[in-house]
Amino acid sequence: MDLTPFKSIVDQYETIFFDAFGVLKNHQGFIPGIEKTFDYLDQKGINYFILTNDASRGPSELAQSYQDKGLKHITIDKIVSSGMLAREYLKFKVKSGTIAYLGTFRSAHYIETLGLDTLSIAHMDLTTQSKDVSALVFLDDEGFDWHHDLNKAVNLLRLTNIPAIVSNTDLSYPMDQKEVNIAVGGIANMVESVVDKKFIRFGKPDAQMFIFAHEHSVALGGTADKNKILMVGDTLTTDIIGGNKFGLDTMLVLTGNTLPKHAAMQIETSGIVPTYLSEDAVIN
Amino acid sequence: MDLTPFKSIVDQYETIFFDAFGVLKNHQGFIPGIEKTFDYLDQKGINYFILTNDASRGPSELAQSYQDKGLKHITIDKIVSSGMLAREYLKFKVKSGTIAYLGTFRSAHYIETLGLDTLSIAHMDLTTQSKDVSALVFLDDEGFDWHHDLNKAVNLLRLTNIPAIVSNTDLSYPMDQKEVNIAVGGIANMVESVVDKKFIRFGKPDAQMFIFAHEHSVALGGTADKNKILMVGDTLTTDIIGGNKFGLDTMLVLTGNTLPKHAAMQIETSGIVPTYLSEDAVIN
Amino acid sequence: MDLTPFKSIVDQYETIFFDAFGVLKNHQGFIPGIEKTFDYLDQKGINYFILTNDASRGPSELAQSYQDKGLKHITIDKIVSSGMLAREYLKFKVKSGTIAYLGTFRSAHYIETLGLDTLSIAHMDLTTQSKDVSALVFLDDEGFDWHHDLNKAVNLLRLTNIPAIVSNTDLSYPMDQKEVNIAVGGIANMVESVVDKKFIRFGKPDAQMFIFAHEHSVALGGTADKNKILMVGDTLTTDIIGGNKFGLDTMLVLTGNTLPKHAAMQIETSGIVPTYLSEDAVIN
Amino acid sequence: MDLTPFKSIVDQYETIFFDAFGVLKNHQGFIPGIEKTFDYLDQKGINYFILTNDASRGPSELAQSYQDKGLKHITIDKIVSSGMLAREYLKFKVKSGTIAYLGTFRSAHYIETLGLDTLSIAHMDLTTQSKDVSALVFLDDEGFDWHHDLNKAVNLLRLTNIPAIVSNTDLSYPMDQKEVNIAVGGIANMVESVVDKKFIRFGKPDAQMFIFAHEHSVALGGTADKNKILMVGDTLTTDIIGGNKFGLDTMLVLTGNTLPKHAAMQIETSGIVPTYLSEDAVIN
């Protein structure tokens, strides 16, 4: 599969969906020159959104973190996160009771804006408080004691019959050039297999993430025509297969999970074929 | 969980999504009295749609089959099938080439309305024709020789790098009171594990099915408010978990897959909790 | 399936394999009267062995724990544990280097009797020490910081290409009448899915556990004839399917994982059929 | 990983276990020169056995097929097949009734030598005969009509509670240089997922296959010392991981499933590490 410079095809599209990690940034910070991509898109009147499996904080804080690091283009309305889908689920399906959660206070704060009570598993008394809990949400891999509180989560789900919501499907996330951390999606898989119940998951590659982004984009005046939308990502099994299934054109970039030397073989053996293969998402 | 008669709660909703098999009909034909449900809904101005994992024919033929058997309420605009999603995928993602398929001519006919060429795996010459094929679609468990043609499908997917689309996720379907048949979703899983590539699947419980139904309903003037939509189904792992995840209220009925004596235990052990449990979907 | 008292069939066998938890003991201690079973077996000259998924300590300490609580019949030669299989693997496959482990010092002590160096992940410096590590062993869910050290284990396996050995396949173990804890087998599954490599597992229902017990029994003068050996367990998916596959007669008892009210349905839906169903393993 | 000629290390071992397809032969016939390997082993007094996932016929016919093609060294006592394990299971666990099977008459003939009645699913009347069936065995992918008879097998397993035995775990087997066929192991996986019961499987990489070979070898006077046994195979996920887990040294050869250009990356990403990597198993 030949390399196609992003610039050579971007003008065919009216809206671009970007994955965040591995496309806009890596463990060292922003991909050099990525701000010029957004200058170009703004100048051409092409819409863009960031689709990210992240529930560690709300969209305003996610946008703020881009702003703080100097990427002024990424405002709150550009953010579509798996945490937003989890919050949406809770809004429709949980009308009362307390939302127990695994994560930091910061991650729970975004849930609280629904007007629901939240309670960290870390601070929960299983004997007296489990009867008031109406859902358990996996938000972040931090903010609790894994040993003590994951066992508590297992027993909460065995003693009650409440839904368990996983607000980030990723198994791991990069820490630095060499190391990764287990993500909350990996933790949730373990708890699910131990309690042997069905959890509800939000995040790429699930279609719901793309549909949510599409509705969000259309509501802000973007095109409804899927032929005019491109998904740009660094991972075949989330960004590319998800974008393909939703009917979008897709571009795999080589600045993240997919190593240049492995790209051709991974496309061949997985059967997940992007519309384009590109070195990066930079437009100089 | 107490039984809630459908009639006692139906007026709270503006739109009802029904599963077909096990809710409206079983192996003996329509559930007795089900036509009165639709008389009632029409009279009250409540919208309704049939969400079915079926790609063996197009929506007009599916509607016709209800009409032929006397359920005049079910017209083509009431049908939302997994086959419609698969066709939508092909419309956006496959612009040229031939669509190879496993299924009957009837199932392929609905794909051909896109203007794409189709070719049954049963009539395909692997050596000369595989280079022209741009996708493989699993449509129906009939219309081909399983031994000969499933091996041909495996080798088509090994020799090329085309997407494989599964247009019905069901593993089996009922034949009569005692027997079931392997469905095309079960066949596709076998082929996927043998070729070790990632297939694209359409059908409940995937969110895309519910979103497609929702958009279809809204386009026809139905409510956009998820709080005003109820999903009625007979299977926890498809209808109920899918409806729940999309944010709808859900009702499990006991006229199909879920036996009355097992319902409570299955809800408890699966953690998939419907909003209501009801004997049937009949409104007398 | 009718209930068969253990006493009514036990004389047909020359050797009995017992699962430990749920058969000999539960969260409250020994099943009342279980010592009489062993008096009876000793009197009749019937051999017996305890097959347990446990690598938290060596067989001498496991036997000692029975002795300390008053069951004098259970001596070290009666113990067959999954930890013994893991140690056997290391003996044959790891000739040099350091064995990194997740578990307590006590669990590692049994490995050290091989003459190999061991190093707790909790005390390991990834940068300087990972090059000396020749295997990673999951021994126990205690003895390390889950958050910090599981992430360290993930990165050790990403940075090196050493085998990962799981010495207990169980996902959870009971704490008291209501609560369970995540077992090291559940933890290992999470780490395996995050690093996406193949781990090597030891424990029921794997055939190797039964073969090891059989060889151990024969070496001590027991019968080699599988028709004369009975496996007694409380769990269909480990004890019973494993015993069946190895060619033994099997007895499911209702003093542990399988509730009396669910037994018939679980046998029916799983297709795992014990030779006998019995209330307990007590011989009065 | 450097290439190690087989000849340079073979003298360290007293017994060699060989995989068949991809090691001794490929779609074109025997690997050129492989007969010299067996001349050498015979001359040095090194034992050897063929471990093959095959239940399409008994060991005498398997050996005969080697003899007929000119490899006189491979006599019946050299053969260890997954079909032999399945037959062993039936010998111990099924004392009466009829064994239903999927496969050819030839494959069933080997089962009949146990003195049990067999009945091809293809000739079975589900209504009148299912009550006499005491087990279902998957023997071969030929000898029955896939569409008609796999549906019959599904319903047999739904209507009765008999064990289902899979006597070959392979998902596919090679037909010629380009094409493969779905194997009976792949078919069995589909039936298992449709009926949602637990099947019993025999074949590499399961430990039972290696233990059976080991016992067979020792019974014929071979060494019991695992350090003196080498497993030679072409597939990491069956031959190598299975041999490793059983405690043997292992050698991956590049004449079959593992392409030379992929070997290093597959070892790295799978974490399955052979003791040696070799071009082939030929000793000139």
Side-chain angles (χ1 to χ4, degrees):
Chain A
M1 205 171 180
D2 293 329
L3 290 174
T4 304
F6 187 24
K7 192 174 185 177
S8 71
I9 53 96
V10 68
D11 292 358
Q12 301 169 33
Y13 299 94
E14 297 179 20
T15 297
I16 314 289
F17 290 165
F18 289 99
D19 178 34
F21 211 95
V23 177
L24 309 186
K25 55 185 177 177
N26 63 22
H27 57 91
Q28 293 179 302
F30 291 125
I31 304 286
I34 198 70
E35 72 285 357
K36 292 185 190 151
T37 296
F38 295 104
D39 289 340
Y40 182 87
L41 297 177
D42 281 346
Q43 179 197 326
K44 290 279 185 170
I46 300 173
N47 292 306
Y48 48 88
F49 299 92
I50 316 301
L51 275 67
T52 180
N53 283 357
D54 195 331
S56 67
R57 41 197 165 162
S60 67
E61 287 171 288
L62 285 169
Q64 193 60 49
S65 73
Y66 285 92
Q67 305 264 328
D68 290 349
K69 292 175 197 143
L71 204 54
K72 301 294 179 193
H73 313 74
I74 310 301
T75 48
I76 181 171
D77 55 299
K78 301 295 191 194
I79 301 286
V80 176
S81 74
S82 55
M84 293 163 75
L85 269 78
R87 186 180 178 278
E88 193 80 354
Y89 170 88
L90 294 170
K91 187 176 98 183
F92 284 111
K93 293 295 292 181
V94 181
K95 308 293 188 189
S96 62
T98 298
I99 310 288
Y101 69 91
L102 288 155
T104 61
F105 287 121
R106 185 176 68 174
S107 65
H109 177 70
Y110 178 55
I111 301 295
E112 282 161 5
T113 60
L114 285 171
L116 290 165
D117 288 335
T118 66
L119 175 62
S120 171
I121 284 278
H123 300 138
M124 185 181 173
D125 182 291
L126 206 55
T127 312
T128 62
Q129 294 184 295
S130 64
K131 68 181 186 310
D132 303 321
V133 174
S134 47
L136 172 66
V137 192
F138 291 80
L139 293 171
D140 201 355
D141 60 297
E142 300 194 327
F144 58 95
D145 178 281
W146 284 24
H147 189 167
H148 188 257
D149 296 328
L150 291 177
N151 279 316
K152 216 195 270 184
V154 162
N155 287 300
L156 173 65
L157 292 171
R158 290 178 72 251
L159 297 170
T160 64
N161 199 10
I162 55 171
I165 296 98
V166 185
S167 55
N168 173 356
T169 48
D170 289 351
L171 297 180
S172 65
Y173 60 93
M175 281 298 283
D176 59 33
Q177 193 158 8
K178 289 168 74 179
E179 298 191 17
V180 303
N181 265 14
I182 300 170
V184 74
I187 292 171
N189 287 356
M190 176 174 68
V191 174
E192 187 181 38
S193 73
V194 169
V195 301
D196 199 18
K197 295 189 172 189
K198 286 271 174 200
F199 289 9
I200 291 177
R201 285 178 171 71
F202 295 102
K204 291 174 286 177
D206 194 69
Q208 205 157 351
M209 185 84 173
F210 291 88
I211 293 154
F212 190 85
H214 188 235
E215 287 180 355
H216 180 71
S217 162
V218 171
L220 293 173
T223 182
D225 182 357
K226 291 182 184 180
N227 283 315
K228 293 292 179 188
I229 306 175
L230 177 71
M231 172 73 209
V232 180
D234 72 323
T235 310
L236 286 170
T237 52
T238 56
D239 307 313
I240 305 304
I241 199 172
N244 280 350
K245 181 175 169 184
F246 185 55
L248 307 182
D249 282 357
T250 51
M251 187 171 90
L252 181 72
V253 296
L254 302 172
T255 40
N257 270 329
T258 308
L259 300 180
K261 64 174 173 175
H262 291 165
M265 201 202 62
Q266 287 183 8
I267 290 170
E268 177 71 26
T269 58
S270 69
I272 307 171
V273 186
T275 316
Y276 314 105
L277 183 64
S278 184
E279 235 171 276
D280 54 42
V282 175
I283 297 177
N284 283 306
Chain B
M1 206 171 180
D2 292 330
L3 290 174
T4 305
F6 187 25
K7 192 174 185 178
S8 71
I9 53 96
V10 67
D11 292 358
Q12 301 169 33
Y13 299 95
E14 296 180 21
T15 297
I16 314 289
F17 290 165
F18 288 99
D19 177 34
F21 211 94
V23 177
L24 308 185
K25 56 186 176 177
N26 63 21
H27 58 90
Q28 293 179 303
F30 289 124
I31 304 286
I34 199 69
E35 72 285 357
K36 292 185 191 152
T37 296
F38 295 103
D39 288 341
Y40 182 87
L41 297 177
D42 280 345
Q43 180 198 323
K44 290 279 185 170
I46 299 172
N47 292 307
Y48 48 88
F49 298 93
I50 316 301
L51 275 67
T52 179
N53 283 358
D54 194 332
S56 66
R57 40 197 166 161
S60 67
E61 288 171 287
L62 284 170
Q64 194 59 50
S65 74
Y66 285 92
Q67 304 264 329
D68 290 350
K69 290 175 197 144
L71 203 55
K72 301 295 179 192
H73 313 73
I74 310 302
T75 48
I76 180 170
D77 56 299
K78 302 296 191 194
I79 301 287
V80 176
S81 74
S82 55
M84 293 164 74
L85 268 79
R87 185 180 178 279
E88 194 80 353
Y89 170 88
L90 294 171
K91 187 176 97 183
F92 284 112
K93 293 295 292 182
V94 181
K95 308 293 189 189
S96 62
T98 299
I99 310 288
Y101 69 92
L102 287 155
T104 61
F105 287 120
R106 187 176 67 174
S107 64
H109 176 70
Y110 178 55
I111 301 295
E112 282 161 5
T113 61
L114 285 171
L116 289 166
D117 288 335
T118 66
L119 175 61
S120 170
I121 285 278
H123 300 137
M124 184 181 174
D125 182 293
L126 205 55
T127 313
T128 62
Q129 294 183 296
S130 63
K131 67 181 186 311
D132 303 322
V133 174
S134 47
L136 171 65
V137 193
F138 291 80
L139 292 172
D140 200 355
D141 60 297
E142 301 194 327
F144 59 94
D145 178 282
W146 284 24
H147 188 167
H148 187 256
D149 296 328
L150 292 177
N151 279 316
K152 217 195 270 184
V154 162
N155 287 299
L156 173 65
L157 292 171
R158 291 178 71 250
L159 297 170
T160 63
N161 199 10
I162 55 170
I165 296 98
V166 186
S167 54
N168 173 355
T169 48
D170 290 351
L171 298 180
S172 67
Y173 60 93
M175 281 297 284
D176 58 34
Q177 194 158 8
K178 290 168 72 178
E179 299 192 18
V180 304
N181 263 16
I182 300 170
V184 74
I187 292 170
N189 287 356
M190 176 174 69
V191 175
E192 187 182 37
S193 73
V194 170
V195 301
D196 198 18
K197 294 189 171 189
K198 286 272 175 199
F199 289 8
I200 291 177
R201 286 179 170 69
F202 295 101
K204 290 174 287 179
D206 194 69
Q208 204 157 353
M209 185 83 174
F210 290 89
I211 292 153
F212 191 85
H214 188 235
E215 287 180 355
H216 180 70
S217 162
V218 171
L220 293 174
T223 181
D225 181 358
K226 292 183 185 181
N227 282 316
K228 292 292 179 187
I229 306 176
L230 177 72
M231 173 73 208
V232 180
D234 72 321
T235 309
L236 286 170
T237 52
T238 55
D239 307 312
I240 304 305
I241 199 173
N244 281 350
K245 181 175 169 184
F246 186 55
L248 307 182
D249 283 357
T250 50
M251 185 170 91
L252 181 72
V253 295
L254 302 173
T255 40
N257 269 328
T258 308
L259 299 181
K261 63 175 173 174
H262 291 165
M265 203 202 59
Q266 288 183 8
I267 291 169
E268 177 71 25
T269 58
S270 69
I272 306 170
V273 185
T275 316
Y276 313 105
L277 183 64
S278 183
E279 232 171 280
D280 54 44
V282 175
I283 296 177
N284 282 308
Chain C
M1 206 169 180
D2 293 329
L3 289 174
T4 303
F6 187 24
K7 192 175 185 178
S8 71
I9 53 96
V10 68
D11 292 358
Q12 301 170 33
Y13 298 95
E14 297 179 18
T15 297
I16 313 289
F17 290 165
F18 289 99
D19 178 34
F21 211 95
V23 177
L24 309 186
K25 54 186 177 177
N26 65 21
H27 57 91
Q28 293 179 302
F30 290 125
I31 305 286
I34 200 69
E35 72 284 358
K36 292 184 190 152
T37 296
F38 294 103
D39 289 340
Y40 182 88
L41 297 178
D42 281 345
Q43 179 198 325
K44 289 278 184 172
I46 300 172
N47 292 305
Y48 48 88
F49 299 92
I50 315 302
L51 275 69
T52 178
N53 283 357
D54 194 331
S56 66
R57 40 196 167 163
S60 66
E61 287 171 288
L62 284 169
Q64 193 60 50
S65 75
Y66 284 92
Q67 304 264 329
D68 290 350
K69 291 175 196 143
L71 203 55
K72 302 294 179 193
H73 313 72
I74 310 302
T75 48
I76 180 171
D77 55 299
K78 302 296 190 193
I79 301 287
V80 176
S81 75
S82 56
M84 293 163 74
L85 269 78
R87 185 180 178 278
E88 193 81 354
Y89 169 89
L90 294 170
K91 187 176 98 182
F92 284 112
K93 294 295 292 181
V94 181
K95 309 293 188 189
S96 62
T98 298
I99 310 288
Y101 69 91
L102 289 155
T104 60
F105 287 120
R106 185 176 67 175
S107 63
H109 177 69
Y110 178 56
I111 301 295
E112 283 160 6
T113 61
L114 285 171
L116 289 165
D117 287 335
T118 66
L119 176 60
S120 171
I121 284 278
H123 300 137
M124 184 181 175
D125 183 292
L126 206 56
T127 312
T128 62
Q129 294 183 296
S130 64
K131 68 182 185 312
D132 303 321
V133 174
S134 48
L136 172 65
V137 192
F138 291 80
L139 293 172
D140 200 354
D141 60 296
E142 301 194 326
F144 58 94
D145 179 281
W146 283 24
H147 188 167
H148 188 257
D149 296 329
L150 291 177
N151 279 317
K152 216 195 270 184
V154 162
N155 287 300
L156 172 65
L157 292 171
R158 291 178 72 251
L159 296 171
T160 63
N161 200 11
I162 54 170
I165 296 98
V166 186
S167 55
N168 172 354
T169 48
D170 289 350
L171 299 179
S172 66
Y173 60 93
M175 282 297 284
D176 58 34
Q177 192 158 10
K178 289 168 73 178
E179 298 192 18
V180 303
N181 263 17
I182 300 170
V184 74
I187 292 170
N189 287 356
M190 176 174 68
V191 175
E192 186 182 38
S193 74
V194 169
V195 300
D196 198 17
K197 295 190 173 189
K198 286 272 175 200
F199 289 8
I200 290 178
R201 285 179 172 70
F202 295 102
K204 291 173 287 178
D206 194 69
Q208 204 156 352
M209 185 82 174
F210 290 89
I211 292 154
F212 191 86
H214 188 236
E215 288 180 355
H216 180 71
S217 162
V218 171
L220 293 173
T223 181
D225 181 358
K226 291 183 185 179
N227 282 316
K228 292 292 180 188
I229 307 175
L230 176 71
M231 171 73 208
V232 180
D234 72 322
T235 310
L236 286 170
T237 53
T238 56
D239 307 313
I240 305 304
I241 199 172
N244 281 349
K245 182 176 168 185
F246 185 54
L248 308 182
D249 282 358
T250 51
M251 186 172 90
L252 181 72
V253 296
L254 303 173
T255 40
N257 269 329
T258 308
L259 300 179
K261 64 175 175 175
H262 290 166
M265 202 201 62
Q266 288 184 8
I267 291 170
E268 177 71 26
T269 58
S270 69
I272 306 170
V273 186
T275 316
Y276 313 105
L277 184 63
S278 183
E279 233 172 278
D280 54 43
V282 175
I283 295 177
N284 283 307
Chain D
M1 205 170 181
D2 292 329
L3 289 174
T4 303
F6 187 25
K7 192 175 185 177
S8 71
I9 53 96
V10 68
D11 291 358
Q12 301 170 32
Y13 299 94
E14 297 179 20
T15 297
I16 314 289
F17 291 165
F18 289 99
D19 178 33
F21 211 95
V23 176
L24 308 186
K25 54 186 178 177
N26 64 21
H27 58 91
Q28 293 179 303
F30 290 125
I31 304 287
I34 199 69
E35 72 285 358
K36 292 183 191 153
T37 296
F38 295 104
D39 288 341
Y40 182 88
L41 297 178
D42 280 345
Q43 180 198 323
K44 290 278 185 171
I46 299 173
N47 292 307
Y48 48 88
F49 298 92
I50 315 302
L51 275 67
T52 179
N53 283 357
D54 194 331
S56 66
R57 41 197 165 161
S60 66
E61 288 172 288
L62 285 170
Q64 193 60 50
S65 74
Y66 284 92
Q67 305 264 328
D68 290 349
K69 290 174 197 145
L71 204 54
K72 300 295 179 192
H73 314 71
I74 310 301
T75 47
I76 180 171
D77 55 300
K78 302 296 190 193
I79 300 287
V80 176
S81 74
S82 56
M84 292 163 75
L85 270 78
R87 184 179 178 279
E88 194 81 353
Y89 170 89
L90 293 171
K91 187 176 98 183
F92 283 112
K93 293 295 292 181
V94 181
K95 309 292 189 190
S96 63
T98 298
I99 310 288
Y101 69 91
L102 288 155
T104 60
F105 287 121
R106 187 177 66 174
S107 64
H109 177 69
Y110 177 55
I111 301 294
E112 282 161 6
T113 59
L114 285 171
L116 289 165
D117 288 334
T118 66
L119 175 61
S120 171
I121 284 278
H123 300 138
M124 184 182 174
D125 183 293
L126 206 56
T127 313
T128 62
Q129 294 183 295
S130 63
K131 68 182 186 311
D132 303 321
V133 174
S134 47
L136 172 66
V137 192
F138 291 80
L139 293 171
D140 200 354
D141 61 296
E142 300 194 328
F144 58 94
D145 179 282
W146 284 23
H147 189 167
H148 187 256
D149 296 328
L150 291 177
N151 279 316
K152 217 195 271 183
V154 162
N155 287 300
L156 173 65
L157 292 171
R158 292 178 70 251
L159 297 171
T160 63
N161 200 10
I162 55 171
I165 295 99
V166 186
S167 55
N168 172 355
T169 47
D170 289 351
L171 298 179
S172 66
Y173 60 94
M175 281 299 282
D176 58 35
Q177 192 158 11
K178 290 168 72 179
E179 300 192 17
V180 303
N181 263 17
I182 300 169
V184 74
I187 292 171
N189 287 356
M190 175 174 70
V191 174
E192 188 182 37
S193 74
V194 169
V195 301
D196 199 18
K197 295 189 171 189
K198 286 273 174 200
F199 290 8
I200 290 177
R201 285 179 171 70
F202 295 102
K204 291 173 287 179
D206 194 69
Q208 204 157 353
M209 186 83 174
F210 290 88
I211 292 154
F212 190 86
H214 188 235
E215 288 180 355
H216 180 70
S217 162
V218 170
L220 294 173
T223 180
D225 181 357
K226 291 183 185 180
N227 282 316
K228 293 293 180 187
I229 307 175
L230 176 72
M231 172 72 207
V232 180
D234 72 321
T235 310
L236 286 170
T237 53
T238 55
D239 307 312
I240 305 305
I241 199 173
N244 280 349
K245 181 176 169 185
F246 185 55
L248 308 182
D249 282 358
T250 50
M251 185 172 92
L252 181 72
V253 295
L254 302 173
T255 40
N257 270 329
T258 307
L259 299 180
K261 64 174 175 176
H262 291 165
M265 201 202 61
Q266 288 183 10
I267 290 169
E268 177 71 26
T269 59
S270 69
I272 306 170
V273 186
T275 316
Y276 313 105
L277 183 64
S278 183
E279 234 172 276
D280 53 43
V282 175
I283 296 178
N284 282 308

